[in-house]
Amino acid sequence: MAVTIDAPPDQVWPWLVQMGGDRAGWYSWDRLDNGGRPSAREVHPEWQGLAVGDYVKYWRGSQGAVDAWRVAMLEPNRFLGLHGLADLRLHNLDPNQPRPRAYTEGLWGFLLNERPGGRTRLVIGGYEAIRPRWLWRLYSYTPLVWIMQARTMSVLKRNVEHAQAHR
């Protein structure tokens, strides 16, 4: 999935690195994926620190913000790569240990391609694997992820362009 944003990559990047359940939210439908807490509508300097190995959190009901996606790759103003590995109760697993019989694993990447005229093409992609394979029918969230991700891209575009217009 992709969207063109009327702002350069260095203006889009701060919005990406502040994502997370304990930070700016996911810029989607907050009631569904952020515990009803509103996603940020501005860049927050205190949420700009993110490094390989850090966890991006997800809001999970009464548990609050829990580790969900480990930052696997980070190239400022260019690429953010997240890796998720969990058992079917959504407890994180150590990627250096053997996989259990049942688990889910995914990669989620955010690529910023600079375009002429100070614009950015944001490309979001990834994959999800569930083992054993037959569990795919029960646990696959692909349609929901597509809908939520489309909303995230729309809100990111709106927020970044609004901030850019007020510079």
Side-chain angles (χ1 to χ4, degrees), residues 8-31:
D10 68 335
Q11 298 302 309
V12 178
W13 182 255
W15 293 87
L16 293 180
V17 298
Q18 70 181 19
M19 288 188 306
D22 62 334
R23 296 157 58 110
W26 297 99
Y27 312 119
S28 185
W29 284 285
D30 294 325
R31 188 172 297 265

mmCIF file of all heavy atoms in Angstrom, residues 8-31:
data_model
loop_
_atom_site.group_PDB
_atom_site.id
_atom_site.type_symbol
_atom_site.label_atom_id
_atom_site.label_comp_id
_atom_site.label_asym_id
_atom_site.label_seq_id
_atom_site.Cartn_x
_atom_site.Cartn_y
_atom_site.Cartn_z
ATOM 1 N N PRO A 8 8.324 16.685 2.374
ATOM 2 C CA PRO A 8 9.544 15.885 2.203
ATOM 3 C C PRO A 8 9.655 14.796 3.279
ATOM 4 O O PRO A 8 9.012 14.886 4.337
ATOM 5 C CB PRO A 8 10.664 16.914 2.324
ATOM 6 C CG PRO A 8 10.078 18.044 3.095
ATOM 7 C CD PRO A 8 8.607 18.062 2.791
ATOM 8 N N PRO A 9 10.463 13.758 3.019
ATOM 9 C CA PRO A 9 10.601 12.655 3.974
ATOM 10 C C PRO A 9 10.965 13.083 5.394
ATOM 11 O O PRO A 9 10.473 12.483 6.356
ATOM 12 C CB PRO A 9 11.711 11.789 3.366
ATOM 13 C CG PRO A 9 11.616 12.045 1.906
ATOM 14 C CD PRO A 9 11.235 13.502 1.795
ATOM 15 N N ASP A 10 11.791 14.131 5.544
ATOM 16 C CA ASP A 10 12.173 14.534 6.898
ATOM 17 C C ASP A 10 11.013 15.143 7.684
ATOM 18 O O ASP A 10 11.097 15.285 8.901
ATOM 19 C CB ASP A 10 13.378 15.482 6.879
ATOM 20 C CG ASP A 10 13.081 16.837 6.271
ATOM 21 O OD1 ASP A 10 12.143 16.955 5.448
ATOM 22 O OD2 ASP A 10 13.787 17.795 6.604
ATOM 23 N N GLN A 11 9.907 15.458 7.007
ATOM 24 C CA GLN A 11 8.709 15.935 7.697
ATOM 25 C C GLN A 11 7.715 14.803 7.971
ATOM 26 O O GLN A 11 6.851 14.935 8.826
ATOM 27 C CB GLN A 11 8.024 17.032 6.866
ATOM 28 C CG GLN A 11 8.885 18.253 6.644
ATOM 29 C CD GLN A 11 9.318 18.892 7.949
ATOM 30 O OE1 GLN A 11 8.505 19.161 8.816
ATOM 31 N NE2 GLN A 11 10.614 19.124 8.103
ATOM 32 N N VAL A 12 7.861 13.692 7.258
ATOM 33 C CA VAL A 12 7.005 12.517 7.463
ATOM 34 C C VAL A 12 7.587 11.631 8.564
ATOM 35 O O VAL A 12 6.868 11.095 9.403
ATOM 36 C CB VAL A 12 6.850 11.719 6.150
ATOM 37 C CG1 VAL A 12 5.995 10.469 6.367
ATOM 38 C CG2 VAL A 12 6.259 12.591 5.045
ATOM 39 N N TRP A 13 8.913 11.497 8.573
ATOM 40 C CA TRP A 13 9.612 10.609 9.497
ATOM 41 C C TRP A 13 9.221 10.790 10.968
ATOM 42 O O TRP A 13 8.954 9.801 11.651
ATOM 43 C CB TRP A 13 11.117 10.762 9.302
ATOM 44 C CG TRP A 13 11.918 9.857 10.160
ATOM 45 C CD1 TRP A 13 12.628 10.176 11.279
ATOM 46 C CD2 TRP A 13 12.081 8.444 9.984
ATOM 47 N NE1 TRP A 13 13.225 9.069 11.811
ATOM 48 C CE2 TRP A 13 12.907 7.992 11.024
ATOM 49 C CE3 TRP A 13 11.609 7.526 9.052
ATOM 50 C CZ2 TRP A 13 13.266 6.658 11.159
ATOM 51 C CZ3 TRP A 13 11.973 6.195 9.184
ATOM 52 C CH2 TRP A 13 12.794 5.781 10.226
ATOM 53 N N PRO A 14 9.168 12.015 11.493
ATOM 54 C CA PRO A 14 8.823 12.170 12.915
ATOM 55 C C PRO A 14 7.466 11.573 13.285
ATOM 56 O O PRO A 14 7.274 11.111 14.414
ATOM 57 C CB PRO A 14 8.827 13.688 13.126
ATOM 58 C CG PRO A 14 9.684 14.227 12.042
ATOM 59 C CD PRO A 14 9.474 13.307 10.872
ATOM 60 N N TRP A 15 6.533 11.559 12.343
ATOM 61 C CA TRP A 15 5.216 10.981 12.601
ATOM 62 C C TRP A 15 5.308 9.456 12.709
ATOM 63 O O TRP A 15 4.578 8.853 13.494
ATOM 64 C CB TRP A 15 4.245 11.379 11.496
ATOM 65 C CG TRP A 15 3.933 12.839 11.485
ATOM 66 C CD1 TRP A 15 4.633 13.824 10.846
ATOM 67 C CD2 TRP A 15 2.878 13.489 12.172
ATOM 68 N NE1 TRP A 15 4.054 15.044 11.090
ATOM 69 C CE2 TRP A 15 2.981 14.859 11.891
ATOM 70 C CE3 TRP A 15 1.836 13.039 12.981
ATOM 71 C CZ2 TRP A 15 2.080 15.795 12.410
ATOM 72 C CZ3 TRP A 15 0.944 13.962 13.486
ATOM 73 C CH2 TRP A 15 1.073 15.331 13.199
ATOM 74 N N LEU A 16 6.194 8.850 11.936
ATOM 75 C CA LEU A 16 6.356 7.393 11.986
ATOM 76 C C LEU A 16 7.016 6.941 13.277
ATOM 77 O O LEU A 16 6.561 5.993 13.913
ATOM 78 C CB LEU A 16 7.186 6.902 10.796
ATOM 79 C CG LEU A 16 6.566 7.034 9.411
ATOM 80 C CD1 LEU A 16 7.528 6.502 8.359
ATOM 81 C CD2 LEU A 16 5.233 6.316 9.339
ATOM 82 N N VAL A 17 8.108 7.612 13.666
ATOM 83 C CA VAL A 17 8.864 7.133 14.829
ATOM 84 C C VAL A 17 8.130 7.360 16.152
ATOM 85 O O VAL A 17 8.499 6.759 17.146
ATOM 86 C CB VAL A 17 10.296 7.716 14.898
ATOM 87 C CG1 VAL A 17 11.101 7.311 13.694
ATOM 88 C CG2 VAL A 17 10.296 9.198 15.083
ATOM 89 N N GLN A 18 7.091 8.165 16.156
ATOM 90 C CA GLN A 18 6.362 8.362 17.408
ATOM 91 C C GLN A 18 5.135 7.445 17.516
ATOM 92 O O GLN A 18 4.397 7.509 18.492
ATOM 93 C CB GLN A 18 5.975 9.825 17.591
ATOM 94 C CG GLN A 18 4.907 10.350 16.670
ATOM 95 C CD GLN A 18 4.616 11.821 16.928
ATOM 96 O OE1 GLN A 18 5.397 12.553 17.535
ATOM 97 N NE2 GLN A 18 3.459 12.276 16.459
ATOM 98 N N MET A 19 4.938 6.546 16.549
ATOM 99 C CA MET A 19 3.808 5.622 16.623
ATOM 100 C C MET A 19 3.940 4.678 17.821
ATOM 101 O O MET A 19 5.037 4.364 18.254
ATOM 102 C CB MET A 19 3.716 4.767 15.350
ATOM 103 C CG MET A 19 3.260 5.518 14.142
ATOM 104 S SD MET A 19 2.923 4.454 12.716
ATOM 105 C CE MET A 19 4.438 3.539 12.535
ATOM 106 N N GLY A 20 2.809 4.230 18.319
ATOM 107 C CA GLY A 20 2.800 3.227 19.376
ATOM 108 C C GLY A 20 1.734 3.501 20.411
ATOM 109 O O GLY A 20 1.303 4.644 20.598
ATOM 110 N N GLY A 21 1.324 2.450 21.092
ATOM 111 C CA GLY A 21 0.252 2.543 22.074
ATOM 112 C C GLY A 21 0.570 3.390 23.282
ATOM 113 O O GLY A 21 -0.330 3.889 23.944
ATOM 114 N N ASP A 22 1.846 3.575 23.580
ATOM 115 C CA ASP A 22 2.235 4.414 24.718
ATOM 116 C C ASP A 22 2.743 5.772 24.248
ATOM 117 O O ASP A 22 3.256 6.553 25.034
ATOM 118 C CB ASP A 22 3.316 3.718 25.550
ATOM 119 C CG ASP A 22 4.588 3.472 24.763
ATOM 120 O OD1 ASP A 22 4.525 3.368 23.510
ATOM 121 O OD2 ASP A 22 5.652 3.372 25.383
ATOM 122 N N ARG A 23 2.585 6.050 22.975
ATOM 123 C CA ARG A 23 3.095 7.286 22.393
ATOM 124 C C ARG A 23 1.991 7.954 21.575
ATOM 125 O O ARG A 23 0.973 8.334 22.128
ATOM 126 C CB ARG A 23 4.344 6.976 21.565
ATOM 127 C CG ARG A 23 5.462 6.443 22.438
ATOM 128 C CD ARG A 23 6.500 5.607 21.715
ATOM 129 N NE ARG A 23 7.198 6.209 20.612
ATOM 130 C CZ ARG A 23 8.470 6.550 20.605
ATOM 131 N NH1 ARG A 23 9.202 6.367 21.680
ATOM 132 N NH2 ARG A 23 9.032 7.045 19.537
ATOM 133 N N ALA A 24 2.178 8.089 20.283
ATOM 134 C CA ALA A 24 1.251 8.840 19.431
ATOM 135 C C ALA A 24 0.048 8.044 18.949
ATOM 136 O O ALA A 24 -0.811 8.587 18.276
ATOM 137 C CB ALA A 24 2.003 9.390 18.221
ATOM 138 N N GLY A 25 -0.011 6.761 19.267
ATOM 139 C CA GLY A 25 -1.093 5.931 18.736
ATOM 140 C C GLY A 25 -0.722 5.419 17.357
ATOM 141 O O GLY A 25 0.447 5.417 16.959
ATOM 142 N N TRP A 26 -1.743 5.001 16.598
ATOM 143 C CA TRP A 26 -1.517 4.384 15.280
ATOM 144 C C TRP A 26 -2.170 5.170 14.151
ATOM 145 O O TRP A 26 -2.192 4.699 13.017
ATOM 146 C CB TRP A 26 -2.020 2.946 15.294
ATOM 147 C CG TRP A 26 -1.273 2.121 16.272
ATOM 148 C CD1 TRP A 26 -1.665 1.790 17.537
ATOM 149 C CD2 TRP A 26 0.028 1.568 16.114
ATOM 150 N NE1 TRP A 26 -0.691 1.061 18.160
ATOM 151 C CE2 TRP A 26 0.361 0.905 17.302
ATOM 152 C CE3 TRP A 26 0.960 1.573 15.065
ATOM 153 C CZ2 TRP A 26 1.575 0.246 17.491
ATOM 154 C CZ3 TRP A 26 2.157 0.916 15.247
ATOM 155 C CH2 TRP A 26 2.455 0.260 16.447
ATOM 156 N N TYR A 27 -2.742 6.322 14.445
ATOM 157 C CA TYR A 27 -3.375 7.178 13.431
ATOM 158 C C TYR A 27 -4.487 6.452 12.680
ATOM 159 O O TYR A 27 -4.705 6.694 11.503
ATOM 160 C CB TYR A 27 -2.347 7.713 12.426
ATOM 161 C CG TYR A 27 -1.106 8.293 13.038
ATOM 162 C CD1 TYR A 27 0.146 7.745 12.769
ATOM 163 C CD2 TYR A 27 -1.170 9.379 13.899
ATOM 164 C CE1 TYR A 27 1.301 8.269 13.317
ATOM 165 C CE2 TYR A 27 -0.020 9.915 14.456
ATOM 166 C CZ TYR A 27 1.205 9.347 14.158
ATOM 167 O OH TYR A 27 2.346 9.869 14.705
ATOM 168 N N SER A 28 -5.185 5.578 13.343
ATOM 169 C CA SER A 28 -6.252 4.830 12.700
ATOM 170 C C SER A 28 -7.542 5.092 13.460
ATOM 171 O O SER A 28 -7.754 6.199 13.933
ATOM 172 C CB SER A 28 -5.874 3.345 12.685
ATOM 173 O OG SER A 28 -6.827 2.607 11.960
ATOM 174 N N TRP A 29 -8.388 4.095 13.583
ATOM 175 C CA TRP A 29 -9.588 4.249 14.393
ATOM 176 C C TRP A 29 -9.193 3.942 15.829
ATOM 177 O O TRP A 29 -9.031 2.784 16.224
ATOM 178 C CB TRP A 29 -10.699 3.321 13.904
ATOM 179 C CG TRP A 29 -11.318 3.841 12.646
ATOM 180 C CD1 TRP A 29 -12.192 4.889 12.548
ATOM 181 C CD2 TRP A 29 -11.097 3.363 11.327
ATOM 182 N NE1 TRP A 29 -12.531 5.095 11.232
ATOM 183 C CE2 TRP A 29 -11.873 4.171 10.460
ATOM 184 C CE3 TRP A 29 -10.327 2.359 10.770
ATOM 185 C CZ2 TRP A 29 -11.897 3.974 9.087
ATOM 186 C CZ3 TRP A 29 -10.351 2.173 9.412
ATOM 187 C CH2 TRP A 29 -11.130 2.974 8.586
ATOM 188 N N ASP A 30 -9.030 4.988 16.612
ATOM 189 C CA ASP A 30 -8.457 4.874 17.952
ATOM 190 C C ASP A 30 -9.257 3.961 18.884
ATOM 191 O O ASP A 30 -8.687 3.305 19.743
ATOM 192 C CB ASP A 30 -8.310 6.254 18.579
ATOM 193 C CG ASP A 30 -7.300 7.108 17.837
ATOM 194 O OD1 ASP A 30 -6.301 6.551 17.348
ATOM 195 O OD2 ASP A 30 -7.515 8.326 17.746
ATOM 196 N N ARG A 31 -10.536 3.893 18.721
ATOM 197 C CA ARG A 31 -11.349 3.025 19.568
ATOM 198 C C ARG A 31 -10.982 1.549 19.351
ATOM 199 O O ARG A 31 -11.031 0.746 20.264
ATOM 200 C CB ARG A 31 -12.829 3.241 19.291
ATOM 201 C CG ARG A 31 -13.730 2.524 20.266
ATOM 202 C CD ARG A 31 -15.177 2.920 20.059
ATOM 203 N NE ARG A 31 -15.393 4.327 20.318
ATOM 204 C CZ ARG A 31 -15.812 4.824 21.477
ATOM 205 N NH1 ARG A 31 -16.050 4.019 22.473
ATOM 206 N NH2 ARG A 31 -15.993 6.109 21.631
#
